[in-house]
Amino acid sequence: LRAYLRREFETILFSGDLDKTTAAFILATTAAASGMDVSIFFTFWGLNILKKSTATSPKNIMQKMLAFMTHKTPISRLNMLGMGPWMLKKLMKKSNMPSLEELMKLAKQLKVKYIACTTSCGVMGIAKENLTEDVDEFAGASTYLAQAKDAKVNLFI
């Protein structure tokens, strides 16, 4: 049973930046398309891409400040008040590269598992019901590490 539960390709997605999330999903979908069992462990700002658009505001003042300061998917370098992500998306489209949204949809079709970090949800003030239905599992770091220790590939993005 343990061998059946082991995933071959584990990624911790710590960042919510457009370039980093896109890279994580390109690697995850490529691995899944190659027949690997893949999961992404979303933690801290990586959880932002799983938020529903109708997510309610956190209650704690510091959590509200974090939510206010964190954009859905800013680009990590050269954000330029939103021009950076806009330009990157245009370049991706011109190069026939799938958008982050398309990559996320493909990942689910390829059965990539989304695991949301329960500890980070608490710290960031994100309620489980504020995340999309794409989340397959809610777990803490110890659960992730138990799965990742036998994986062939582990990434931190």
Side-chain angles (χ1 to χ4, degrees), residues 96-112:
N96 293 319
M97 184 177 166
S99 68
L100 177 60
E101 293 78 14
E102 292 168 327
L103 288 167
M104 291 177 73
K105 183 178 178 181
L106 177 60
K108 291 313 295 178
Q109 290 171 351
L110 292 169
K111 300 191 180 347
V112 172

Side-chain angles (χ1 to χ4, degrees), residues 1-114:
L1 182 62
R2 181 171 165 76
Y4 175 75
L5 295 174
R6 184 181 61 116
R7 295 198 178 91
E8 296 177 289
F9 188 97
E10 302 279 344
T11 299
I12 296 175
L13 186 56
F14 177 82
S15 175
D17 294 335
L18 179 60
D19 52 348
K20 293 176 184 173
T21 54
T22 301
F25 277 93
I26 288 170
L27 292 168
T29 54
T30 302
S34 299
M36 296 177 85
D37 190 15
V38 179
S39 73
I40 302 173
F41 184 74
F42 296 85
T43 187
F44 290 98
W45 293 272
L47 287 165
N48 286 332
I49 64 168
L50 295 178
K51 283 185 189 174
K52 293 179 184 175
S53 58
T54 57
T56 58
S57 176
K59 296 178 174 129
N60 176 307
I61 187 69
M62 290 188 352
Q63 292 170 340
K64 285 182 183 183
M65 289 171 59
L66 270 176
F68 176 76
M69 292 185 295
T70 305
H71 297 78
K72 181 118 171 126
T73 51
I75 193 168
S76 63
R77 304 212 187 272
L78 304 174
N79 190 41
M80 300 179 295
L81 300 173
M83 285 293 294
W86 177 81
M87 290 180 350
L88 182 58
K89 288 176 185 178
K90 286 287 203 187
L91 288 169
M92 289 168 58
K93 186 173 183 174
K94 186 176 181 177
S95 298
N96 293 319
M97 184 177 166
S99 68
L100 177 60
E101 293 78 14
E102 292 168 327
L103 288 167
M104 291 177 73
K105 183 178 178 181
L106 177 60
K108 291 313 295 178
Q109 290 171 351
L110 292 169
K111 300 191 180 347
V112 172
K113 304 288 186 268
Y114 292 3

